[in-house]
Amino acid sequence: MKKLLTKKIVLPVFIGVLFITGSAFKNDFFEIAKQIEIFTTLFKEVNMNYVDETNPADLMDTAIKSMLQDLDPYTNFYNEQDVEASRINNTGDYTGIGASVLTLKDKLVIIEPYKGFPADKAGLKAGDEIIKVDNTVVADFSDDAGNLLQGAAGTTVNVTYVRQGKTQTATIKREAVEIHAVPHYSMIDDKTGYVVLRKFNEKASSETINAIRALKSQGAKQLVLDLRGNLGGLLNEAVNVTNIFVPQNQLVVTTKSKVDKYNKTYYTQKEPIDTEIPVVVLIDGKSASASEIVAGALQDLDRAVIVGARSFGKGLVQRPKSLVYGTQLKITISRYYTPSGRCIQSLDYWNRDELGKATRVKKENYTAFKTKRGRTVYDGGGIQPDVELGISKLSPITTAIVNENLIFDFATEYYYSHQVTDLKSFKLTDADFNEFKNFLKVNNFTFSTKTEKAFDDALLVADEEGLKKVIDGQYTTLMNALNTYKTEAINANKTQLMGLLAEEIVKRYFYREGMYSYYIDHNTEIKKGTEILKNPSTYLSYLQ
């Protein structure tokens, strides 16, 4: 039923445009109406006549998700709970327990309790596995069990959780929680300010402005703006953040769509805070969307030096469309272009490979553009830093370790087996790294390289062609070489892995605030950014 009602919302829009676009669109309209009718009759017949009982809501949910899956990963259907989660993400305000929580099939894992908020007050720690919320067993709950933790301010929720193999309980009193877009700002030295912008919600620009003004009052003459791990958010806030450093009426981003009303140009609307202060922007592979608009605009306008690793490459813009029964469609409506005219979208979802996967834009297909001062920049693959640091880009083996939550899990074990009381003196040792490598073995960590998968595919083809025996020896040699590489790769990525481990461990003892303080003294990207800012001629050389 949801599908039918959704389409009823869409049809009048097409009808309204029909008289403008002429006969070509009449054919499209007829095809849409035809397919809706086919689907309606099919859906009815399946539910009425299938041999076993069917659940219409589940069938429709599968149909909607399957349809949207063929478009791009950002066009999504949101149920009522999803809509609320999206609101929280955009505003930064909600009522709950004050913790980042990972929802798994049979448990809720506390990823990070926010200092001073309900979960922290109740004694919950990162790594705690919630298996029961009030009287509801998480494993038996069909929807997102994370929603069970939310509720009105002042109400309580009882949780049963497992910590280091022991089952415990806690009562948490919910309260209003504000998630800051700028969770940290401080002075790196007597002249350099450091601002972390974690997300582009409705408070992003105002919090960034407040942070910069506070730092300038403390003597900041130059800034490091950290956009690493910032997955984006509101486009207008990206424009407003850019406006902090560039004059009023400056073009920041252009959006282009097949629908005329979505073709827009976005200019800065306000007086800037400071158009002269030297700025270094840090980005990495998780800097996306609005982060890339800011980094791309400041790079195109030669207003900041970009340091780190190539950004994610999301050059698409989404807009929420309200549907019936409190549901919503977030749909990709346009592509965006930086001031120089480049679209940094890196994945092509409309020309997929034979396996149905989106293809990455190849470097040979990048197009060159010019910044305001004539520097060459490229489209098609995210924002390329002016100063690229190898350690900023996660290697394949590090990515695999992170994706399996092994950094997180090791940090949990470390926390319960080590005493750390002083942030300044904390340092991981070679013995800790050896302990981590052993942890990987105990947890049966393995990963397959693209080369390994290609060899496996080639062996299957060879078997079909009767050549398997001929190449068996060479294949074995190659696989042994690959296994040796994977063993050595962990040691080769020691610096990167140790950095990630240290950050996660520090967060356990000193919360996120402590992690940022640790960054100031130890983070490679921050050190490089500060080094560039300390030498005006070096800074300017990257912008000319």
Side-chain angles (χ1 to χ4, degrees):
M1 188 61 182
K2 289 181 183 177
K3 183 76 167 190
L4 303 180
L5 290 169
T6 299
K7 290 299 182 182
K8 286 179 182 177
I9 297 296
V10 174
L11 288 177
V13 177
F14 284 100
I15 292 171
V17 180
L18 183 61
F19 300 103
I20 300 173
T21 55
S23 59
F25 190 81
K26 289 180 182 178
N27 293 332
D28 291 340
F29 177 77
F30 172 76
E31 187 63 24
I32 292 170
K34 172 185 172 183
Q35 296 305 325
I36 290 174
E37 186 175 359
I38 290 172
F39 182 82
T40 301
T41 54
L42 180 147
F43 187 67
K44 181 178 72 173
E45 292 298 332
V46 168
N47 281 285
M48 290 177 62
N49 299 308
Y50 188 69
V51 62
D52 294 321
E53 286 295 321
T54 58
N55 184 317
D58 288 344
L59 284 177
M60 187 58 68
D61 189 63
T62 299
I64 291 173
K65 289 177 179 177
S66 296
M67 175 181 68
L68 299 182
Q69 193 174 21
D70 279 346
L71 300 178
D72 64 65
Y74 313 112
T75 297
N76 295 307
F77 170 73
Y78 287 173
N79 59 30
E80 297 93 326
Q81 290 78 23
D82 295 330
V83 172
E84 175 61 11
S86 179
R87 183 198 67 78
I88 291 169
N89 188 55
N90 287 336
T91 63
D93 298 329
Y94 75 102
T95 302
I97 68 168
S100 173
V101 179
L102 174 64
T103 302
L104 300 178
K105 186 177 181 180
D106 58 345
K107 58 192 174 186
L108 299 169
V109 181
I110 300 292
I111 299 298
E112 178 186 357
Y114 304 139
K115 185 178 181 180
F117 283 104
D120 183 39
K121 292 176 183 176
L124 267 68
K125 303 290 185 183
D128 288 347
E129 300 173 352
I130 298 175
I131 56 175
K132 189 177 180 181
V133 180
D134 287 329
N135 294 319
T136 302
V137 176
V138 174
D140 297 337
F141 194 69
S142 57
D143 294 324
D144 185 349
N147 296 322
L148 297 171
L149 298 174
Q150 295 183 25
T155 61
T156 59
V157 59
N158 299 303
V159 298
T160 302
Y161 62 95
V162 177
R163 175 186 293 172
Q164 297 292 286
K166 296 181 180 179
T167 302
Q168 304 183 46
T169 60
T171 299
I172 307 172
K173 186 176 182 180
R174 301 182 181 98
E175 62 182 66
V177 177
E178 180 181 4
I179 303 174
H180 290 289
V182 176
H184 178 88
Y185 63 90
S186 62
M187 295 293 290
I188 295 174
D189 53 39
D190 60 350
K191 291 184 179 180
T192 311
Y194 174 58
V195 179
V196 179
L197 178 51
R198 190 166 63 174
K199 59 170 58 183
F200 284 86
N201 61 20
E202 293 174 355
K203 303 172 184 176
S205 59
S206 62
E207 289 190 14
T208 304
I209 289 170
N210 290 339
I212 291 173
R213 282 178 171 160
L215 291 171
K216 284 168 70 73
S217 71
Q218 296 174 41
K221 306 296 183 186
Q222 51 204 25
L223 290 172
V224 174
L225 177 63
D226 196 340
L227 297 181
R228 290 174 298 172
N230 187 323
L231 299 177
L234 303 176
L235 184 149
N236 65 303
E237 282 298 292
V239 176
N240 291 338
V241 169
T242 305
N243 196 171
I244 293 171
F245 306 106
V246 302
Q248 192 175 13
N249 299 319
Q250 169 64 56
L251 175 65
V252 174
V253 64
T254 302
T255 60
K256 297 180 182 180
S257 169
K258 71 175 183 181
V259 181
D260 287 342
K261 68 178 181 179
Y262 297 142
N263 293 330
K264 294 187 177 183
T265 51
Y266 293 84
Y267 292 84
T268 51
Q269 300 293 316
K270 306 171 184 177
E271 288 297 326
I273 301 301
D274 194 328
T275 61
E276 300 296 330
I277 189 169
V279 181
V280 162
V281 177
L282 306 183
I283 62 172
D284 63 11
K286 291 184 178 180
S287 303
S289 187
S291 296
E292 295 174 297
I293 291 176
V294 172
L298 294 178
Q299 186 178 55
D300 284 1
L301 299 171
D302 300 302
R303 182 60 190 87
V305 176
I306 313 301
V307 174
R310 183 183 289 276
S311 64
F312 181 81
K314 180 178 181 288
L316 306 174
V317 179
Q318 288 72 45
R319 174 167 291 189
K321 294 288 186 180
S322 297
L323 307 177
V324 293
Y325 299 118
T327 61
Q328 193 178 88
L329 172 68
K330 188 182 76 170
I331 184 170
T332 298
I333 59 167
S334 58
R335 291 179 175 85
Y336 73 77
Y337 298 80
T338 64
S340 67
R342 54 183 171 148
C343 180
I344 50 81
Q345 177 65 25
S346 62
L347 290 175
D348 186 349
Y349 298 104
W350 300 272
N351 295 289
R352 297 173 182 256
D353 62 20
E354 60 276 7
L355 299 176
K357 294 183 179 180
T359 55
R360 186 169 293 277
V361 178
K362 296 180 179 179
K363 285 187 178 181
E364 55 264 32
N365 294 328
Y366 289 176
T367 302
F369 294 83
K370 294 294 183 180
T371 69
K372 190 175 181 179
R373 294 180 181 173
R375 294 186 298 142
T376 301
V377 289
Y378 295 92
D379 65 359
I383 302 298
Q384 176 72 33
D386 302 309
V387 182
E388 193 163 13
L389 302 177
I391 198 169
S392 300
K393 182 179 179 181
L394 295 187
S395 66
I397 194 164
T398 300
T399 300
I401 290 171
V402 170
N403 289 344
E404 290 190 27
N405 296 316
L406 293 169
I407 297 283
F408 179 85
D409 292 341
F410 180 79
T412 301
E413 286 204 2
Y414 187 98
Y415 177 77
Y416 290 108
S417 58
H418 295 77
Q419 290 289 330
V420 177
T421 56
D422 180 37
L423 177 60
K424 289 292 184 181
S425 62
F426 170 76
K427 184 179 181 181
L428 290 179
T429 64
D430 288 342
D432 293 322
F433 187 64
N434 289 332
E435 188 178 339
F436 175 65
K437 289 193 291 184
N438 185 60
F439 178 82
L440 295 179
K441 290 180 182 178
V442 170
N443 285 272
N444 300 314
F445 169 69
T446 59
F447 82 107
S448 297
T449 63
K450 291 181 180 179
T451 302
E452 191 173 0
K453 292 174 182 176
F455 283 156
D456 287 340
D457 292 340
L459 188 64
L460 289 174
V461 173
D463 193 24
E464 291 173 1
E465 295 179 346
L467 299 174
K468 186 174 182 295
K469 291 183 179 180
V470 177
I471 66 171
D472 255 349
Q474 293 90 331
Y475 176 79
T476 301
T477 301
L478 286 169
M479 295 310 294
N480 287 337
L482 275 173
N483 288 330
T484 300
Y485 154 75
K486 287 192 284 188
T487 300
E488 295 174 348
I490 294 177
N491 289 328
N493 286 274
K494 177 181 177 180
T495 301
Q496 189 173 70
L497 289 167
M498 288 283 271
L500 293 172
L501 285 167
E503 291 165 16
E504 186 62 42
I505 290 169
V506 163
K507 200 161 54 174
R508 301 304 175 92
Y509 294 97
F510 306 103
Y511 298 89
R512 182 168 290 270
E513 293 84 347
M515 185 190 75
Y516 290 125
S517 296
Y518 182 83
Y519 267 174
I520 298 297
D521 294 328
H522 300 278
N523 185 259
T524 302
E525 292 90 336
I526 293 175
K527 286 184 175 181
K528 184 63 177 179
T530 305
E531 176 188 318
I532 292 169
L533 289 168
K534 282 182 176 179
N535 191 326
S537 60
T538 300
Y539 175 80
L540 290 173
S541 70
Y542 288 113
L543 301 177
Q544 295 172 345

